[in-house]
Amino acid sequence: MSMLAESSLYDFVFIYYSRNQAYLRVRAILHMMNDPAQLIEHGLGPYVLEEYQHARKAVGSLSDEHPYVQAYENPDPFLTFFARVGSDLPMLYGTYLVLTEPSSISVAQFSIMQRSASVLSSSITEIISSASTFRDRCHSIKELYRAEISVGVMKDGAVAYPDPIHEEMGGMAIEVRNLHFSYPEAATTTPTLHDINFSIKPGQLVVIVGANGSGKSTILKLLTRVYDPDAASGPDSILVDERPISEYRLGDLRRATSMLNQDHELYPLSLRENIGLGYVEKHNDLALIQRAIELGGASHCIEKLKDGMETKMDEESYSDKWDLPAEEEHPLNVELAGLPTAPTLSGGEKQRIVASRTFMRFMSGKTRLVAVDEPTSAFDAAGEQALFDNLLSMREGKTMIVVTHRFGTLTRQADFIICMKDGTIKERGSHNELMKLDGEYANLYNIQARAFVDDEKKER
Ligand SMILES: Nc1ncnc2c1ncn2[C@@H]1O[C@H](COP(=O)(O)OP(=O)(O)OP(=O)(O)O)[C@@H](O)[C@H]1O
């Protein structure tokens, strides 16, 4: 490919890529698929697959490969050689005949030969492009097959959740008995969790505290069935509404769970859709989304954006500015300069958008368990207080488990606190009970309280 042809192909692909909404949508959804754990945790798998199919259909038969790859992708050199030589061969033969035996070929025959050569050339090109499409398809099937295998690792249950008897009980009842767990990919020999026992009544607020790495988040991952306990724990190690968690349909359990964790990555979609994903059936209901934005504390950061909640977070498509022609006035650079850019949101602002998505999930009315894992690490103090106040105000009908390092309103309001150390429950009780015990919890509390007092002294 000549430099000129290569550059204009890149222009074409890039402009197509940046302008065509359907294409952008495919890229955005493919981006979401890069993090299947997130999708599984939030029960978004079916929605994303369906959206992918819509978007892919809208794009048609074009490749969804990255534009750079499309522009620079060369077919197999052997096939290119074959196409060039193969398509020119009849003409070469004709020229040879004209030169060596001028009387053996007429102008009409030569013209027919010319036309046939042109048809042959396009057929060969088509075969080559089909071969590359075929290769892409094989690759997709292989990926799909791998996904099938991994889906099979966690066995789905058959029982619908919640059952009519427990549905009215105001939240999920949880019982954990002799639970042991090690991550399949863990390099250590000691288990991540061992001999964990506790039970939570419907509608209770439970706070889990403890040092880094003590297993707090892992407990949430097991209660939301992101992982299954070790086989040694036995099938009854986690009971949900008095039945082993593994017996329920996973989709039902995920719909009944709202998970708000430390992860504050946004999808490359509009902010409206990022929040609407909390309740996919209503992802276009602007009034609900607006309410969720207020509860998540994201109103201020969305209002200051020119496009408000329609602002696209599609950073990927606009940021690939490498390997561009140096001249500023090159059409490709001009195109780029005119494209919208995704806003730079701070960590705390992103966390507020993610929190809004959780409130949107609450709107479905199906949430029976709220699992919260340090979602406010980048929040300011007022924002953190407002978020927890809003979470607590919507507690009715939900069991709430919160992992936190901060001692304050939540720990005082909790029905009970679980204090973890090295993968086991070290202490359990209310704030006052644990303070009286003067053990691990009191120690962690006092360290934090002392830091506050020291800060105050410094300020004076
Ligand atoms: N996916 C994983 N694979 C292997 N080991 C993991 C994985 N996730 C966590 N661990 C390990 O399991 C242990 C418990 O981790 P966990 O995240 O539950 O701790 P935590 O108490 O929530 O910590 P923190 O307060 O730092 O968030 C840690 O030693 C951690 O390194």
Side-chain angles (χ1 to χ4, degrees):
M1 209 189 291
S2 74
M3 278 305 287
L4 182 69
E6 188 170 307
S7 151
S8 39
L9 177 58
Y10 188 50
D11 282 8
F12 164 74
V13 174
F14 188 89
I15 291 165
Y16 178 71
Y17 175 54
S18 51
R19 285 284 168 83
N20 188 311
Q21 288 305 312
Y23 197 93
L24 276 182
R25 182 84 186 159
V26 171
R27 300 291 313 163
I29 293 169
L30 282 173
H31 181 94
M32 290 172 79
M33 288 179 181
N34 284 342
D35 193 354
Q38 268 264 18
L39 297 180
I40 290 170
E41 258 176 54
H42 299 289
L44 289 175
Y47 173 77
V48 164
L49 283 178
E50 202 176 300
E51 283 302 301
Y52 178 72
Q53 274 159 7
H54 287 317
R56 198 64 193 83
K57 218 167 160 187
V59 165
S61 59
L62 290 164
S63 166
D64 51 28
E65 199 64 89
H66 192 282
Y68 184 84
V69 179
Q70 282 191 50
Y72 287 88
E73 188 180 64
N74 288 316
D76 189 311
F78 171 74
L79 289 176
T80 312
F81 175 78
F82 178 68
R84 294 256 161 90
V85 175
S87 59
D88 289 345
L89 217 53
M91 290 308 297
L92 285 173
Y93 179 62
T95 312
Y96 170 77
L97 284 182
V98 170
L99 291 175
T100 54
E101 290 174 60
S103 59
S104 68
I105 185 160
S106 68
V107 174
Q109 280 173 312
F110 196 75
S111 156
I112 291 169
M113 202 177 260
Q114 229 172 355
R115 268 209 309 273
S116 313
S118 150
V119 170
L120 178 67
S121 167
S122 53
S123 305
I124 289 175
T125 313
E126 208 168 288
I127 290 169
I128 292 170
S129 96
S130 306
S132 119
T133 311
F134 178 70
R135 189 194 57 204
D136 288 350
R137 295 284 174 273
C138 287
H139 182 70
S140 308
I141 290 168
K142 228 167 68 188
E143 289 296 304
L144 225 132
Y145 179 67
R146 276 191 8 213
E148 277 293 304
I149 291 173
S150 42
V151 165
V153 170
M154 186 168 277
K155 219 166 151 262
D156 201 357
V159 178
Y161 184 85
D163 65 53
I165 300 167
H166 291 89
E167 195 162 5
E168 304 304 319
M169 286 196 173
M172 191 183 273
I174 295 171
E175 195 170 343
V176 176
R177 302 177 186 155
N178 305 321
L179 175 82
H180 297 264
F181 177 73
S182 291
Y183 282 98
E185 58 273 49
T188 54
T189 48
T190 48
T192 309
L193 292 176
H194 50 106
D195 203 19
I196 303 291
N197 295 277
F198 60 85
S199 67
I200 305 177
K201 295 194 183 85
Q204 280 193 319
L205 166 66
V206 177
V207 174
I208 308 181
V209 297
N212 289 130
S214 55
K216 305 180 293 296
S217 305
T218 308
I219 291 186
L220 290 191
K221 286 179 187 162
L222 288 157
L223 296 183
T224 49
R225 217 179 159 211
V226 174
Y227 286 91
D228 275 337
D230 290 350
S233 305
D236 296 346
S237 56
I238 301 178
L239 300 179
V240 164
D241 291 353
E242 301 175 89
R243 196 188 265 277
I245 192 170
S246 56
E247 290 185 9
Y248 292 112
R249 292 202 293 245
L250 263 172
D252 289 1
L253 276 178
R254 304 235 187 280
R255 257 188 300 281
T257 306
S258 291
M259 179 96 182
L260 178 57
N261 54 25
Q262 304 165 21
D263 200 342
H264 57 264
E265 277 314 304
L266 297 180
Y267 298 120
L269 309 166
S270 69
L271 290 175
R272 175 181 51 76
E273 201 174 358
N274 261 292
I275 296 166
L277 284 179
Y279 183 6
V280 287
E281 293 84 353
K282 296 273 178 188
H283 72 278
N284 284 322
D285 188 326
L286 295 186
L288 273 193
I289 293 175
Q290 195 56 51
R291 174 90 187 107
I293 289 174
E294 281 157 23
L295 289 165
S299 305
H300 178 67
C301 70
I302 293 182
E303 274 159 18
K304 71 181 182 188
L305 298 170
K306 183 168 62 69
D307 295 325
M309 61 167 106
E310 292 307 324
T311 306
K312 288 241 164 41
M313 296 308 295
D314 195 0
E315 286 168 29
E316 187 207 28
S317 45
Y318 307 129
S319 62
D320 300 327
K321 297 184 181 168
W322 28 262
D323 208 16
L324 289 175
E327 323 89 71
E328 259 179 49
E329 64 283 2
H330 187 281
L332 188 51
N333 287 323
V334 174
E335 265 308 314
L336 252 175
L339 291 174
T341 46
T344 313
L345 296 182
S346 72
E349 287 172 331
K350 285 185 186 170
Q351 281 187 340
R352 285 165 189 257
I353 307 278
V354 173
S356 303
R357 186 189 298 153
T358 302
F359 283 106
M360 186 71 189
R361 202 164 170 76
F362 286 2
M363 314 283 186
S364 72
K366 293 190 178 131
T367 302
R368 290 174 56 78
L369 171 67
V370 185
V372 183
D373 188 356
E374 280 289 343
T376 53
S377 51
F379 272 55
D380 49 50
E384 181 177 61
Q385 185 64 45
L387 180 82
F388 283 124
D389 286 349
N390 288 340
L391 279 173
L392 293 177
S393 73
M394 297 194 78
R395 246 183 82 191
E396 204 188 323
K398 304 172 190 74
T399 299
M400 194 175 278
I401 310 176
V402 184
V403 166
T404 185
H405 284 287
R406 305 202 197 178
F407 298 81
T409 326
L410 274 178
T411 41
R412 285 176 194 279
Q413 288 194 20
D415 289 296
F416 66 94
I417 299 159
I418 293 174
C419 182
M420 299 288 299
K421 191 173 185 190
D422 300 331
T424 54
I425 296 180
K426 185 81 177 151
E427 291 159 10
R428 181 183 351 185
S430 68
H431 171 77
N432 289 340
E433 286 166 351
L434 295 183
M435 286 309 286
K436 257 189 225 142
L437 204 64
D438 200 20
E440 180 74 11
Y441 177 87
N443 182 36
L444 292 170
Y445 178 88
N446 289 329
I447 292 171
Q448 206 166 92
R450 260 201 307 276
F452 272 123
V453 174
D454 291 348
D455 282 350
E456 270 174 24
K457 274 187 196 155
K458 269 185 226 154
E459 276 169 23
R460 267 188 228 137

